[in-house]
């Protein structure tokens, strides 16, 4: 494959993946009546009550540290989550849902179920496998030093 064709394909793939992600986030946020799906992602991550560190939440939500901190602070102000020092490692803080957060999570999930947006996952196993394989392929690619 010619370099210019390969680079154009890389650019198109990056743009398409970014657009799909943005459209999905926008649709989920609209179904939830939220500005973004961030609160839903956080509540999903902590819904089991086990507590998650900020770095774990950053990985799940794909938010940078500053944005995630502002989101968690707002969620604390709304009484959706609370922070506790990790008993195993006192340097680490874990985020847990409050009762109101658990109820909000249930309401959000019901709103998404009622909207029908979850139907896009029907038959998506193959797409998920392809995207996972693509992600693995990207991670393995060792760029040449400049």
């Amino acid at each position: 494959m010619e370099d210019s064709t390969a680079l154009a394909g890389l650019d198109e793939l990056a743009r398409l993946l970014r657009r799909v992600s943005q459209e999905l986030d926008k649709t989920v946020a609209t179904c939830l009546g939220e500005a973004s799906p961030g609160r839903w992602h956080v509540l999903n991550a902590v819904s089991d009550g086990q507590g998650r560190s900020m770095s774990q939440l950053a990985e799940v939500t794909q938010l940078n540290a500053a944005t995630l901190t502002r989101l968690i602070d707002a969620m604390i102000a709304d009484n959706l989550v609370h922070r506790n020092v990790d008993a195993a490692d006192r340097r680490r803080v874990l985020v847990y849902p409050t009762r109101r957060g658990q109820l909000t999570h249930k309401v959000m999930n019901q709103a998404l179920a009622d909207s029908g947006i979850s139907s896009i996952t029907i038959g998506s196993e193959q797409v998920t496998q392809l995207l996972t394989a693509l992600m693995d392929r990207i991670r393995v690619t060792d760029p040449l030093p400049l």
Side-chain angles (χ1 to χ4, degrees), residues 55 81-82 84 88 138-140:
S55 60
V81 297
H82 65 92
N84 274 343
I138 292 169
R139 285 183 181 154
V140 171

Coordinates of all heavy atoms in Angstrom, one line a residue, residues 55 81-82 84 88 138-140:
S55 N -7.7 7.0 39.3 CA -7.1 6.5 38.1 C -7.9 5.4 37.5 O -8.0 5.4 36.2 CB -5.7 6.0 38.4 OG -5.7 4.9 39.3
V81 N -22.0 10.6 44.9 CA -20.9 9.8 45.3 C -20.2 10.4 46.5 O -20.5 11.6 46.9 CB -19.8 9.6 44.2 CG1 -20.4 8.9 43.0 CG2 -19.2 11.0 43.8
H82 N -19.3 9.7 47.2 CA -18.5 10.2 48.3 C -17.1 9.6 48.2 O -16.9 8.5 47.6 CB -19.1 10.0 49.6 CG -19.3 8.6 50.0 ND1 -18.3 7.9 50.8 CD2 -20.2 7.7 49.8 CE1 -18.7 6.7 51.0 NE2 -19.9 6.5 50.4
N84 N -13.6 8.2 50.2 CA -13.1 7.6 51.4 C -11.6 7.3 51.2 O -11.3 6.8 50.1 CB -13.8 6.4 51.9 CG -15.1 6.7 52.7 OD1 -15.2 7.8 53.2 ND2 -16.0 5.8 52.9
A88 N -6.5 0.0 52.7 CA -5.3 -0.8 52.4 C -4.1 0.1 52.0 O -3.0 -0.2 52.2 CB -5.6 -1.7 51.2
I138 N -3.2 -1.7 17.4 CA -2.6 -0.4 17.6 C -1.6 -0.4 18.7 O -0.5 0.2 18.6 CB -3.7 0.6 17.8 CG1 -4.6 0.8 16.6 CG2 -3.2 2.0 18.3 CD1 -5.9 1.6 16.8
R139 N -1.9 -1.1 19.8 CA -1.0 -1.1 21.0 C 0.3 -1.8 20.6 O 1.3 -1.5 21.2 CB -1.7 -1.8 22.1 CG -2.7 -1.0 22.8 CD -3.3 -1.7 24.0 NE -4.3 -0.9 24.6 CZ -5.3 -1.4 25.3 NH1 -5.4 -2.7 25.5 NH2 -6.2 -0.6 25.9
V140 N 0.2 -2.9 19.8 CA 1.4 -3.7 19.5 C 2.3 -3.0 18.5 O 3.5 -3.2 18.5 CB 0.9 -5.1 18.9 CG1 2.1 -5.8 18.3 CG2 0.3 -5.9 20.0

